[in-house]
Amino acid sequence: MFTLRTPKKQITAPALRAEIRVRGAEILRSEGMHAGKKFLQHGDVSVYEHCINVAFLSLYLAHRFRLSVDRQSLVRGALLHDYFLYDWHEDDPSHRLHGFHHARRALENACRDFPLNKREKDIIAKHMFPLNLRPPRYKESALVCAADKCCALLETFGVEKLRALTKVRP
């Protein structure tokens, strides 16, 4: 029978928020990231909030399952995974099939605005698997992919708990 071991050291929400602020400082201060505050992602959650939620849940999952990951790349990739910088709800032909194409656009924008390592690039490029056919290559990419799906559900159907838990200020 398969059982999960509980982490010996408990992690707190404030500790996760602080880690996001430290590891993602450059990104959280950027104009592009702040532009995400005016674009809605799921329900009434902004792209900015969604990316922070995904970073938070990714870190939590890494801790919960005792995964040895590059936490710097995990946070940076999670914050930039939806760095597409447009309102996909607008009636614009370039926004058609957003779910299939925005990962590529986010990667292009992120590469333009930040120095990225191979893990960060993979996180951004592969976060929409299976809509994008190439699977995640790294543990960090798989974590962000899973956290993105979970956050999308929570943001669409139960955002208030998530919002209170993950509130991060740059």
PDB file of all heavy atoms in Angstrom, residues 11-20 56 59:
ATOM      1  N   ILE A  11       5.169  23.900   7.484  1.00  0.00           N
ATOM      2  CA  ILE A  11       5.435  25.192   6.841  1.00  0.00           C
ATOM      3  C   ILE A  11       4.199  26.058   7.008  1.00  0.00           C
ATOM      4  O   ILE A  11       3.086  25.562   6.973  1.00  0.00           O
ATOM      5  CB  ILE A  11       5.832  25.019   5.366  1.00  0.00           C
ATOM      6  CG1 ILE A  11       6.340  26.336   4.783  1.00  0.00           C
ATOM      7  CG2 ILE A  11       4.687  24.546   4.539  1.00  0.00           C
ATOM      8  CD1 ILE A  11       7.668  26.191   4.137  1.00  0.00           C
ATOM      9  N   THR A  12       4.416  27.338   7.210  1.00  0.00           N
ATOM     10  CA  THR A  12       3.284  28.240   7.430  1.00  0.00           C
ATOM     11  C   THR A  12       3.038  29.096   6.195  1.00  0.00           C
ATOM     12  O   THR A  12       3.944  29.313   5.378  1.00  0.00           O
ATOM     13  CB  THR A  12       3.558  29.169   8.626  1.00  0.00           C
ATOM     14  OG1 THR A  12       4.679  30.010   8.307  1.00  0.00           O
ATOM     15  CG2 THR A  12       3.842  28.370   9.896  1.00  0.00           C
ATOM     16  N   ALA A  13       1.816  29.589   6.087  1.00  0.00           N
ATOM     17  CA  ALA A  13       1.473  30.483   4.987  1.00  0.00           C
ATOM     18  C   ALA A  13       2.355  31.734   4.992  1.00  0.00           C
ATOM     19  O   ALA A  13       2.845  32.143   3.935  1.00  0.00           O
ATOM     20  CB  ALA A  13      -0.010  30.851   5.040  1.00  0.00           C
ATOM     21  N   PRO A  14       2.599  32.365   6.153  1.00  0.00           N
ATOM     22  CA  PRO A  14       3.497  33.533   6.144  1.00  0.00           C
ATOM     23  C   PRO A  14       4.898  33.199   5.632  1.00  0.00           C
ATOM     24  O   PRO A  14       5.516  34.003   4.932  1.00  0.00           O
ATOM     25  CB  PRO A  14       3.531  33.976   7.611  1.00  0.00           C
ATOM     26  CG  PRO A  14       2.227  33.506   8.171  1.00  0.00           C
ATOM     27  CD  PRO A  14       1.956  32.204   7.476  1.00  0.00           C
ATOM     28  N   ALA A  15       5.397  32.018   5.960  1.00  0.00           N
ATOM     29  CA  ALA A  15       6.725  31.628   5.481  1.00  0.00           C
ATOM     30  C   ALA A  15       6.725  31.453   3.968  1.00  0.00           C
ATOM     31  O   ALA A  15       7.675  31.861   3.294  1.00  0.00           O
ATOM     32  CB  ALA A  15       7.178  30.335   6.162  1.00  0.00           C
ATOM     33  N   LEU A  16       5.674  30.875   3.414  1.00  0.00           N
ATOM     34  CA  LEU A  16       5.578  30.718   1.960  1.00  0.00           C
ATOM     35  C   LEU A  16       5.458  32.077   1.277  1.00  0.00           C
ATOM     36  O   LEU A  16       6.094  32.324   0.249  1.00  0.00           O
ATOM     37  CB  LEU A  16       4.385  29.827   1.594  1.00  0.00           C
ATOM     38  CG  LEU A  16       4.522  28.349   1.965  1.00  0.00           C
ATOM     39  CD1 LEU A  16       3.203  27.623   1.723  1.00  0.00           C
ATOM     40  CD2 LEU A  16       5.645  27.694   1.194  1.00  0.00           C
ATOM     41  N   ARG A  17       4.640  32.962   1.854  1.00  0.00           N
ATOM     42  CA  ARG A  17       4.495  34.311   1.270  1.00  0.00           C
ATOM     43  C   ARG A  17       5.835  35.046   1.285  1.00  0.00           C
ATOM     44  O   ARG A  17       6.205  35.708   0.310  1.00  0.00           O
ATOM     45  CB  ARG A  17       3.424  35.097   2.024  1.00  0.00           C
ATOM     46  CG  ARG A  17       2.018  34.583   1.770  1.00  0.00           C
ATOM     47  CD  ARG A  17       0.958  35.545   2.276  1.00  0.00           C
ATOM     48  NE  ARG A  17       1.014  35.753   3.710  1.00  0.00           N
ATOM     49  CZ  ARG A  17       0.250  35.127   4.598  1.00  0.00           C
ATOM     50  NH1 ARG A  17      -0.622  34.235   4.197  1.00  0.00           N
ATOM     51  NH2 ARG A  17       0.345  35.401   5.882  1.00  0.00           N
ATOM     52  N   ALA A  18       6.575  34.930   2.385  1.00  0.00           N
ATOM     53  CA  ALA A  18       7.880  35.594   2.487  1.00  0.00           C
ATOM     54  C   ALA A  18       8.848  35.028   1.452  1.00  0.00           C
ATOM     55  O   ALA A  18       9.608  35.778   0.827  1.00  0.00           O
ATOM     56  CB  ALA A  18       8.448  35.424   3.899  1.00  0.00           C
ATOM     57  N   GLU A  19       8.820  33.722   1.248  1.00  0.00           N
ATOM     58  CA  GLU A  19       9.703  33.111   0.258  1.00  0.00           C
ATOM     59  C   GLU A  19       9.382  33.606  -1.149  1.00  0.00           C
ATOM     60  O   GLU A  19      10.281  33.874  -1.943  1.00  0.00           O
ATOM     61  CB  GLU A  19       9.601  31.578   0.325  1.00  0.00           C
ATOM     62  CG  GLU A  19      10.598  30.898  -0.580  1.00  0.00           C
ATOM     63  CD  GLU A  19      10.691  29.399  -0.381  1.00  0.00           C
ATOM     64  OE1 GLU A  19      10.023  28.846   0.509  1.00  0.00           O
ATOM     65  OE2 GLU A  19      11.460  28.769  -1.140  1.00  0.00           O
ATOM     66  N   ILE A  20       8.106  33.757  -1.452  1.00  0.00           N
ATOM     67  CA  ILE A  20       7.712  34.289  -2.768  1.00  0.00           C
ATOM     68  C   ILE A  20       8.214  35.716  -2.926  1.00  0.00           C
ATOM     69  O   ILE A  20       8.740  36.087  -3.973  1.00  0.00           O
ATOM     70  CB  ILE A  20       6.182  34.206  -2.965  1.00  0.00           C
ATOM     71  CG1 ILE A  20       5.750  32.741  -3.064  1.00  0.00           C
ATOM     72  CG2 ILE A  20       5.748  34.984  -4.202  1.00  0.00           C
ATOM     73  CD1 ILE A  20       4.248  32.527  -2.948  1.00  0.00           C
ATOM     74  N   PHE A  56       2.515  30.049  -4.687  1.00  0.00           N
ATOM     75  CA  PHE A  56       2.249  29.622  -3.313  1.00  0.00           C
ATOM     76  C   PHE A  56       1.949  28.126  -3.257  1.00  0.00           C
ATOM     77  O   PHE A  56       2.558  27.378  -2.488  1.00  0.00           O
ATOM     78  CB  PHE A  56       1.066  30.436  -2.766  1.00  0.00           C
ATOM     79  CG  PHE A  56       0.719  30.139  -1.331  1.00  0.00           C
ATOM     80  CD1 PHE A  56       1.248  30.902  -0.307  1.00  0.00           C
ATOM     81  CD2 PHE A  56      -0.153  29.107  -1.014  1.00  0.00           C
ATOM     82  CE1 PHE A  56       0.921  30.635   1.019  1.00  0.00           C
ATOM     83  CE2 PHE A  56      -0.481  28.831   0.305  1.00  0.00           C
ATOM     84  CZ  PHE A  56       0.051  29.592   1.330  1.00  0.00           C
ATOM     85  N   LEU A  59       5.016  25.868  -4.098  1.00  0.00           N
ATOM     86  CA  LEU A  59       5.931  25.743  -2.964  1.00  0.00           C
ATOM     87  C   LEU A  59       5.354  24.823  -1.892  1.00  0.00           C
ATOM     88  O   LEU A  59       6.060  23.985  -1.319  1.00  0.00           O
ATOM     89  CB  LEU A  59       6.217  27.112  -2.342  1.00  0.00           C
ATOM     90  CG  LEU A  59       7.209  28.004  -3.060  1.00  0.00           C
ATOM     91  CD1 LEU A  59       7.233  29.386  -2.417  1.00  0.00           C
ATOM     92  CD2 LEU A  59       8.596  27.390  -3.055  1.00  0.00           C
TER      93      LEU A  59
END
